[in-house]
Amino acid sequence: MKRGRIRIDQLAFTGPEREPETLPFSDGVNIIWGASNSGKSFVRKSIDYVLGGEKPTLPKEGAGYDSILLWLTLPNAGKVTLRRSILGSDVYKADGHSLSVTNSSPGYESLSQRHTAGPNISRLILQESGFRDARLLKNERAEKSTFSLRMLMRYILVDETRMIDEKSVLLAHNTTVTSEDKGLIKFVLTGIDGSSIEQVRSADQLKAARDGQLEILAQMADELRSSIDETISLDRLEELHSEAEINREELHEVLSARQDELDDYASKIRSLDEGLRETYSTISDLNQMISRFSELSAIYKSDIERLYGLEEGGFLLKRFAEINCPLCGALPEHQHHDHGLSRVEEQREAVAAEIAKISRDASELDQAISDANGRIQALEAEILESNARRAELVSSQENARAKELTSRELFLSESEKVSKFSNQIEFRHRLTSIEKRIERVGNQAVRSRQRADGIDANVDLTQSEAFELSNEIKDVLHAWNYPGANALHFEKSDHDIVVDGKRRRDNGAGVRALLHSAFKVGVLTYCIRKNRPHPGFLILDSPLLAYRPADEGRYGELQTDELELQQAGVAHHFYEHLDGLRDHAQFIVIENHRSDQEVVEPFSNVRFTLDSDFGRRGLFT
C-alpha cells in the first residue's frame, strides 16, 4: 500500500430544510480564530465525531442540521466523503466529494465507528496512513490492546484541555501514564509493538485455574474411590493378581494344546475328504471308460457277425463250383471256364483272419471292462472304509471341541480375574498419584502480581530514541523562535518535555500549550523524516494560549514566560513553520483569543466574528 498523507478538504453540515454549511481547508496551515462561542471548537469536535469520536452537542445555531460530512483525499482511495448523522450512527462513505451520501452513492459503504472485525472508520484511516495491524502492551502480564484510530487520535487532534494540562503529553484522558501510553509512542516512532509476547494470566485467573484444577482432581479421586473394593488390601490384591496370572498361563498352555488337537483332527478330515473326492472322481472316470468300451464291444460283435456271413457265402460258392455244370451237365474236371472261385477262396480266408483278429481284440476289451469293474469294486470298498474313518474322526473332533470350549471358558474366567485385579491395583496407584497432585497443587502459591518473564512491559523509549525525538522537538521550537530552547530533552521518568531544566508542567498555561503542540508537531515531523506512518494532518485547539489578552482571567494572569513568547513573535514563526510543511502535512489551528490580523493574514484563515455585518458570523452563519 502506498504511504502518504491524508488531506481534509472540507467540513460540511446538511439538513433536510437547511442550506448546506461548509468550511473548506487547504494544504499547509489553516487558522480558525475569532470570538468565543462562535463554533470554533465545534469544528474540532465535528471532525473527531466523523472519525469515530464521541457525539458532540449541537449548538442552537445548528438547529435543523442532521448530518456532518467530511471531505478527504486519501493516498490510495483518492477523494471520499464521510457522513455521520448528528443523532449518532455508523459512518457512511462514498467515492468522490459530495454533499449527499446515500446507499445509491458510488462506492457507498457503511463503516462501524468502532475498531471491529468488519469495515470500520478506524481501519480505513490507519491503513490509508500506512499503519499495519498492531497490539500494544497494557501491563506486565502482557495483556494487549488493539491499536486503533481512537488511540492514535491524541497525536493528530489535541483539544484545549489537553493542550494546557500539566499531565504527560503521552496521555489521552488518564491521570497516569500506562504501559499502553508508552507502547503507543514506541509503536508510532519505531513500529515495535507487543504482538510477539505471549500473555500471562492474572493472579485471579491463576487462582481460579488452580481451584478449577483442584475441583476436577477431587472429582477424579471420588470416581476412583467409588470403583475401589476397600475390603481387600493392596498387598492381598497383588497376591491374588500374581496367582491369577499363573493360573491363566497354565490354562493358556492347555488351551493351546486343545487348539492344536482340533487343528490336527481338522487336517485329517480334510485329507480324507480330499481322498474321497479323488476316489469318486476315479470311479466316475472308470464308469465312463466302461461305457465307451461296452459300445466298442458291441461294434466288435456286429463286425464278427457280418464277417461270419461273408465267410459262409464264400464257402457255399466253393461248394457249388465242385458240382456238375448246371448248364451242360459237365463234370467238374471237364469244365473249361474259370468262375472266379479262386478269388472267393482268397476272400474267405481274409475274412476268417479278420474274424480271428477282432475276436482277440474283443476278448482283450472284455478283460479291460472286467478289470475296470474290479477296480470300481475295490474303490467303493475304500470309500466305505474312509467314511467309517471319517465318522470316527468327526466324533473325536466333537469331543476335542467340547474340551477346547471348556478350557477356553476357564482361561477367559481367569483372564477376567487378572484384569479385575489389575484394574483395582491401577485404581489405587492412580488415586495415590491424584492425591499427591492435589496436595502439590493446593500448596502452590500464586503471586499477587504476575508478569511475563524477561520483558520490559513499560516499553520505554530507548535512550537513542528519546534523544532523536528530543532533537526533533528542539528543531521545532527553534523554528518557532521559542526563547531559550537550547537544552531540551524528553524526560522518561515524567514522560514529558523538559526545556532548559524546567519541566513543562512548571510553566504557565500558555507555555504548556505551546510545548505540548511542539511535542505533537515533533512526532509528526519525526515520522516524515523517518518515513514512518502518520495520517499527515494535525488539529491543534488553542496552542497559542500565551497570546490571550491580559484581562482574560480564565487561565490566570499572563506569566513572565508567556510574555516572553509574545515578545519573541512566536505566533508568526509558529504559523510560518507549519505552513512550510504544506508538502508533507496539513494543520488546522483553532484559537480562542483575538489574534493579530497581521499575524494570520499571510495564511489560510477563517475568522468568526459573531457579527452578521462583519466577516463570517460563525460556523453556522
Side-chain angles (χ1 to χ4, degrees):
M1 175 177 288
K2 182 176 67 175
R3 178 175 300 168
R5 67 184 181 93
I6 297 172
R7 187 177 70 234
I8 300 175
D9 296 298
Q10 180 170 275
L11 177 67
F13 302 86
T14 62
E17 298 180 2
R18 296 291 301 267
E19 289 295 319
E21 193 68 65
T22 63
L23 183 63
F25 301 101
S26 62
D27 288 331
V29 67
N30 297 266
I31 307 169
I32 302 172
W33 64 291
S36 298
N37 300 318
S38 58
K40 299 187 304 297
S41 291
F42 193 73
V43 172
R44 167 183 55 78
K45 293 177 182 179
S46 297
I47 295 174
D48 187 38
Y49 177 61
V50 176
L51 296 179
E54 295 182 358
K55 182 175 68 173
T57 300
L58 188 70
K60 62 180 182 179
E61 294 84 5
Y65 292 104
D66 64 357
S67 293
I68 304 176
L69 294 93
L70 193 64
W71 289 5
L72 300 178
T73 299
L74 304 178
N76 297 286
K79 294 181 179 180
V80 299
T81 300
L82 303 178
R83 178 180 70 82
R84 193 173 183 191
S85 170
I86 197 65
L87 302 177
S89 67
D90 287 339
V91 181
Y92 304 103
K93 178 181 76 71
D95 293 340
H97 289 164
S98 173
L99 292 176
S100 174
V101 176
T102 66
N103 56 13
S104 61
S105 298
Y108 176 83
E109 186 177 14
S110 176
L111 305 174
S112 173
Q113 60 174 317
R114 302 182 183 278
H115 193 98
T116 57
N120 59 79
I121 184 63
S122 174
R123 183 170 287 109
L124 172 68
I125 299 300
L126 293 180
Q127 288 181 347
E128 288 286 344
S129 302
F131 285 102
R132 62 177 176 84
D133 291 340
R135 305 271 290 169
L136 305 182
L137 293 177
K138 293 174 61 177
N139 50 42
E140 293 176 327
R141 293 187 295 105
E143 283 186 308
K144 304 175 188 70
S145 299
T146 301
F147 174 61
S148 68
L149 180 59
R150 286 294 97 198
M151 285 186 183
L152 184 66
M153 193 57 70
R154 73 191 73 174
Y155 287 99
I156 58 178
L157 188 151
V158 186
D159 62 32
E160 184 178 1
T161 301
R162 286 294 301 121
M163 191 71 74
I164 64 173
D165 200 340
E166 295 180 4
K167 301 182 183 67
S168 167
V169 290
L170 301 187
L171 293 171
H173 302 291
N174 297 331
T175 56
T176 58
V177 176
T178 66
S179 295
E180 183 178 283
D181 297 320
K182 290 180 281 187
L184 176 59
I185 184 62
K186 180 88 168 182
F187 174 66
V188 170
L189 297 182
T190 69
I192 297 174
D193 68 342
S195 298
S196 61
I197 303 174
E198 294 296 330
Q199 179 178 334
V200 176
R201 290 181 292 181
S202 67
D204 290 340
Q205 289 173 328
L206 290 174
K207 289 177 182 178
R210 182 189 62 185
D211 293 343
Q213 187 179 9
L214 288 173
E215 183 178 354
I216 293 173
L217 290 173
Q219 291 176 355
M220 294 171 61
D222 290 340
E223 290 177 0
L224 286 172
R225 290 191 188 97
S226 66
S227 303
I228 291 175
D229 185 357
E230 299 288 352
T231 62
I232 306 176
S233 67
L234 178 60
D235 292 340
R236 179 56 181 159
L237 270 176
E238 290 176 344
E239 290 177 3
L240 292 173
H241 179 262
S242 179
E243 292 173 1
E245 282 189 324
I246 293 172
N247 293 335
R248 184 181 64 175
E249 290 301 319
E250 292 175 351
L251 287 169
H252 184 265
E253 292 179 2
V254 173
L255 179 60
S256 296
R258 297 298 186 196
Q259 288 175 336
D260 291 343
E261 186 179 11
L262 274 176
D263 292 342
D264 183 56
Y265 283 129
S267 177
K268 290 178 178 179
I269 291 173
R270 284 196 301 272
S271 179
L272 277 175
D273 289 342
E274 182 64 27
L276 284 170
R277 283 193 294 272
E278 291 179 359
T279 300
Y280 281 121
S281 177
T282 301
I283 290 174
S284 176
D285 292 341
L286 289 172
N287 282 326
Q288 290 180 6
M289 185 184 71
I290 290 172
S291 176
R292 290 195 299 272
F293 282 3
S294 296
E295 292 176 357
L296 185 57
S297 178
I299 293 171
Y300 281 171
K301 289 179 181 179
S302 175
D303 289 345
I304 289 172
E305 289 177 357
R306 179 177 55 77
L307 290 172
Y308 273 133
L310 289 175
E311 183 186 27
E312 185 177 356
F315 175 78
L316 291 175
L317 284 174
K318 184 178 180 182
R319 290 290 297 171
F320 288 152
E322 293 177 352
I323 64 175
N324 294 334
C325 180
L327 297 176
C328 65
L331 293 173
E333 61 269 16
H334 297 124
Q335 294 175 10
H336 302 289
H337 298 283
D338 184 3
H339 298 288
L341 292 178
S342 58
R343 293 184 179 178
V344 172
E345 179 60 21
E346 292 175 358
Q347 184 177 13
R348 188 189 66 77
E349 290 176 356
V351 169
E354 184 66 22
I355 289 173
K357 177 180 178 300
I358 292 175
S359 295
R360 287 194 302 274
D361 291 342
S363 177
E364 293 175 357
L365 188 59
D366 290 340
Q367 183 61 45
I369 291 173
S370 177
D371 292 343
N373 283 326
R375 176 61 177 157
I376 289 173
Q377 291 176 356
L379 291 174
E380 289 175 344
E382 289 180 7
I383 288 173
L384 291 175
E385 184 179 350
S386 295
N387 282 332
R389 174 61 180 158
R390 188 180 189 282
E392 292 176 1
L393 289 172
V394 169
S395 177
S396 299
Q397 185 186 44
E398 291 301 321
N399 292 334
R401 183 174 287 112
K403 294 177 181 178
E404 191 270 349
L405 181 60
T406 300
S407 298
R408 183 177 296 278
E409 290 174 350
L410 291 173
F411 173 77
L412 292 175
S413 176
E414 208 62 29
S415 296
E416 289 177 358
K417 289 182 181 180
V418 171
S419 178
K420 174 184 175 182
F421 296 144
S422 294
N423 288 337
Q424 284 290 312
I425 293 171
E426 176 64 20
F427 289 161
R428 291 171 191 245
H429 288 321
R430 286 173 59 190
L431 178 59
T432 300
S433 176
I434 288 175
E435 288 173 341
K436 290 180 179 178
R437 190 175 176 187
I438 289 174
E439 182 179 3
R440 185 169 62 253
V441 173
N443 291 333
Q444 287 178 350
V446 177
R447 292 183 300 175
S448 59
R449 185 174 180 180
Q450 298 292 321
R451 63 171 295 155
D453 293 335
I455 72 164
D456 176 14
N458 293 320
V459 289
D460 284 324
L461 295 175
T462 64
Q463 287 296 124
S464 62
E465 291 164 353
F467 179 75
E468 279 196 85
L469 178 60
S470 299
N471 284 340
E472 198 73 41
I473 298 169
K474 185 191 299 184
D475 291 342
V476 169
L477 289 176
H478 285 163
W480 295 354
N481 204 35
Y482 183 92
N486 294 322
L488 181 149
H489 70 275
F490 180 77
E491 178 56 49
K492 293 200 294 182
S493 61
D494 287 343
H495 305 288
D496 213 330
I497 300 171
V498 176
V499 182
D500 290 338
K502 189 175 183 179
R503 296 176 300 182
R504 187 184 69 90
R505 67 186 182 189
D506 295 332
N507 292 280
V511 176
R512 291 199 302 272
L514 192 68
L515 293 179
H516 192 134
S517 300
F519 175 81
K520 297 298 169 66
V521 173
V523 169
L524 185 150
T525 57
Y526 180 97
C527 292
I528 293 173
R529 184 170 57 83
K530 293 284 189 177
N531 196 29
R532 294 285 308 141
H534 192 286
F537 65 86
L538 183 56
I539 302 173
L540 302 173
D541 192 343
S542 304
L544 297 175
L545 189 65
Y547 280 78
R548 67 188 184 277
D551 58 354
E552 185 176 315
R554 183 163 52 133
Y555 301 106
E557 294 182 0
L558 286 169
Q559 297 186 15
T560 302
D561 52 5
E562 295 176 300
L563 292 172
E564 289 179 356
L565 296 183
Q566 293 185 15
Q567 295 169 1
V570 169
H572 172 74
H573 292 91
F574 172 83
Y575 290 132
E576 189 176 58
H577 174 249
L578 298 187
D579 197 58
L581 296 171
R582 63 173 48 244
D583 292 337
H584 305 286
Q586 180 187 41
F587 300 90
I588 298 175
V589 179
I590 299 169
E591 281 298 345
N592 286 318
H593 65 84
R594 293 186 293 274
S595 296
D596 187 343
Q597 179 70 33
E598 294 181 359
V599 173
V600 301
E601 185 65 33
F603 312 104
S604 175
N605 72 95
V606 177
R607 182 180 182 182
F608 295 163
T609 64
L610 285 183
D611 185 349
S612 301
D613 298 326
F614 177 65
R616 180 166 178 161
R617 175 178 175 80
L619 178 60
F620 301 101
T621 52

